[in-house]
């Protein structure tokens, strides 16, 4: 299965914050033997966002989207996602009541623009957010699963673990021929990256095995990845290459 991560917000492209969401989401997907093929960041521009959504629908089975679910004028993810695929927006009464209750718990008055956080593309499944005002949603378009989550890491982490991963797991249960992935991290010291690659020229050449290199002075890291039809097959390949 092909997965991609889409993070949205001008602040990401301006360098105002470090985008840690991509690493977190990719790591969680890898725990389900799903490798992320693309990382994409776009600003709060409807045309760019629409293009990114359509590209994801063409090339990926799963698209994890973070950011742009807030109440302000630059939070456009849901509206643009609906527009990109010709869906109307529908208000979810249960979500609206949950948002009102969130403010009531803190004795605060809900601003009128928070109500837009209770609207979702036609046909979407709402993903509850018990610790924030922005619910997420799941929209399936032409076989691609779009999971929209808040950009706030604390909220995204809980929604990913409690709402998104179980739904992906259910879908994977019915997929035949899916490969299992196993990986290791090997540390080396005292040899340069190019010499290391040359010395290992005959390593990791069998089908379903790959080897990547990463430098973090003074170490060089090797990342062998093995894929197999079963966990035991992948683990055996990984053991041989290690």
């Amino acid at each position: 299965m092909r997965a991609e991560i889409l993070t949205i917000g001008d602040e990401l492209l301006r360098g105002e914050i470090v985008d840690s969401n991509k690493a977190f989401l990719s790591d969680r997907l890898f725990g389900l033997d799903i490798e992320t093929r693309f990382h994409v960041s776009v600003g709060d521009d409807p045309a760019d966002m629409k293009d990114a959504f359509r590209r994801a629908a063409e090339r990926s089975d799963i698209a994890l989207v973070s950011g742009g679910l807030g109440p302000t004028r630059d939070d456009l993810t849901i509206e643009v996602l609906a527009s990109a695929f010709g869906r109307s927006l529908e208000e979810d009464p249960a979500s609206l009541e949950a948002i009102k209750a969130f403010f009531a718990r803190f004795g605060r008055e809900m601003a009128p623009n928070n109500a837009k956080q209770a609207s979702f593309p036609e046909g979407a499944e709402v993903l509850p957010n018990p610790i924030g005002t922005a619910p997420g949603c799941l929209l399936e378009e032409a076989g691609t699963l779009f999971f929209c989550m808040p950009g706030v890491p604390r909220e995204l982490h809980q929604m990913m673990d409690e709402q998104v991963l179980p739904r992906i797991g259910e879908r994977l249960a019915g997929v035949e021929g899916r490969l299992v992935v196993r990986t290791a991290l090997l540390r080396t010291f005292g040899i340069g990256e190019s010499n290391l690659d040359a010395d290992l020229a005959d390593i990791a050449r069998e089908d379903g095995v790959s080897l990547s290199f990463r430098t973090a002075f003074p170490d060089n890291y090797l990342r062998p990845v093995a894929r197999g039809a079963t966990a035991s097959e992948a683990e055996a390949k990984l053991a041989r290459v290690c």
Side-chain angles (χ1 to χ4, degrees):
M1 298 189 74
R2 298 165 66 90
E4 72 178 90
I5 313 297
L6 243 170
T7 55
I8 296 174
D10 288 342
E11 66 277 11
L12 302 176
L13 302 184
R14 293 172 182 155
E16 296 173 11
I17 63 172
V18 176
D19 187 0
S20 61
N21 287 347
K22 286 196 183 84
F24 170 81
L25 294 172
S26 291
D27 179 68
R28 285 295 196 269
L29 286 176
F30 199 75
L32 290 180
D33 297 323
I34 298 174
E35 294 186 85
T36 301
R37 302 295 297 271
F38 306 100
H39 276 178
V40 178
S41 291
V42 295
D44 299 311
D45 179 83
D48 291 342
M49 293 167 63
K50 188 176 294 187
D51 178 67
F53 291 143
R54 288 174 174 169
R55 287 178 183 270
E58 292 173 356
R59 67 190 182 185
S60 298
D61 302 298
I62 297 172
L64 302 184
V65 184
S66 80
L69 302 188
T72 58
R73 70 187 72 180
D74 58 345
D75 291 312
L76 302 170
T77 296
I78 296 300
E79 295 97 314
V80 175
L81 182 66
S83 175
F85 302 118
R87 310 284 186 106
S88 61
L89 284 175
E90 298 179 345
E91 185 177 277
D92 178 55
S95 295
L96 183 58
E97 289 305 312
I99 295 170
K100 291 178 179 178
F102 181 90
F103 283 97
R105 287 201 305 270
F106 296 98
R108 295 168 55 194
E109 182 179 354
M110 188 185 89
N113 55 359
N114 280 104
K116 83 168 191 171
Q117 295 178 288
S119 292
F120 304 94
E122 175 189 5
E125 179 184 356
V126 177
L127 306 179
N129 179 2
I131 58 174
T133 64
C137 72
L138 162 60
L139 181 69
E140 184 168 358
E141 176 63 33
T144 300
L145 302 178
F146 285 88
F147 289 93
C148 296
M149 293 171 280
V152 179
R154 174 170 166 265
E155 298 176 24
L156 175 133
H157 292 182
Q158 183 163 335
M159 188 175 292
M160 181 66 177
D161 289 342
E162 295 182 355
Q163 303 293 332
V164 176
L165 290 179
R167 286 171 170 81
I168 294 176
E170 290 174 3
R171 299 295 183 108
L172 292 179
V175 176
E176 295 183 3
R178 196 171 65 87
L179 294 178
V180 176
V181 183
R182 292 294 183 266
T183 184
L185 183 65
L186 308 178
R187 298 175 60 189
T188 74
F189 177 84
I191 183 171
E193 185 180 41
S194 56
N195 290 330
L196 188 61
D197 187 23
D199 286 348
L200 300 178
D202 59 340
I203 298 296
R205 296 301 185 184
E206 66 176 300
D207 288 341
V209 177
S210 62
L211 185 64
S212 59
F213 298 78
R214 176 168 60 88
T215 295
F217 184 83
D219 298 331
N220 280 302
Y221 293 87
L222 298 170
R223 173 70 77 179
V225 178
R227 301 167 182 84
T230 63
S232 59
E233 179 183 333
E235 288 161 4
K237 287 182 178 180
L238 181 64
R240 284 197 296 272
V241 73
C242 286

